[in-house]
Amino acid sequence: PHPWLCLFVPRSRLKDFDTVVFREILIRGVGGPMLLYPMNKNKWDTRSSAVIPDEDIFYLVALLRSNDPYPTGPRLETLIAENDEILSFCKTAGIPVKQYLPHFTKQSDWEHHFGVDKWKTFQGMKRTYDPLAILAPGQGIFTRINP
């Protein structure tokens, strides 16, 4: 199983993230590659639908799990719970991480993820380029409209 978790972590909170996530939650590793590298906000195209932290420098933290299936490797539920623990810690600690390619099941979660301004832009693009909401129905972002 490979429940990947890719996060953008603001530079100002990376030490807090490291203290708990890398040194406690992931103490046994991730069962695959882990990427960690800095990114500059000014290099991003603001027209992109990707959501990034509101800081000039942030870090991509990508946990690219590729574990053997159970019973050789950990149970899928364990890996998902570990990802959820990381996200829960960030929320509780007030670390404004943004997920890259998140999996939300409610429109309200998507709205929170994008934020007010970017959500309005995203809605406008959807109305312009996919007014019947035919594309990506499984993402749970928009409800399909029957003509």
Side-chain angles (χ1 to χ4, degrees):
H2 53 273
W4 291 3
L5 181 63
C6 298
L7 302 173
F8 295 133
V9 181
R11 178 176 70 173
S12 66
R13 299 304 304 273
L14 191 62
K15 184 175 180 183
D16 301 323
F17 186 89
D18 170 58
T19 299
V20 173
V21 175
F22 294 143
R23 297 175 191 265
E24 292 180 20
I25 298 172
L26 297 176
I27 195 73
R28 294 177 308 281
V30 297
M34 181 172 63
L35 306 177
L36 175 67
Y37 56 89
M39 306 182 100
N40 292 314
K41 183 176 183 176
N42 65 1
K43 301 291 184 187
W44 282 75
D45 185 340
T46 57
R47 297 170 296 173
S48 167
S49 62
V51 181
I52 58 176
D54 192 24
E55 287 192 14
D56 291 336
I57 297 175
F58 57 95
Y59 284 78
L60 168 70
V61 176
L63 310 176
L64 306 178
R65 303 172 189 271
S66 55
N67 301 80
D68 288 333
Y70 182 80
T72 307
R75 292 182 182 273
L76 177 61
E77 296 81 7
T78 301
L79 300 174
I80 292 171
E82 204 169 65
N83 287 351
D84 290 344
E85 183 181 1
I86 292 167
L87 294 170
S88 178
F89 160 72
C90 290
K91 184 175 182 178
T92 301
I95 301 174
V97 299
K98 292 295 183 180
Q99 287 189 68
Y100 181 69
L101 302 175
H103 175 75
F104 298 123
T105 56
K106 297 183 294 193
Q107 185 170 332
S108 60
D109 291 334
W110 286 106
E111 290 176 28
H112 176 72
H113 171 73
F114 281 104
V116 175
D117 293 337
K118 194 139 186 143
W119 176 248
K120 288 179 183 177
T121 301
F122 194 69
Q123 282 181 308
M125 289 189 307
K126 187 68 169 178
R127 279 192 302 272
T128 300
Y129 301 109
D130 186 21
L132 299 179
I134 295 170
L135 303 173
Q139 302 301 323
I141 303 175
F142 296 100
T143 304
R144 182 171 280 176
I145 298 169
N146 293 320

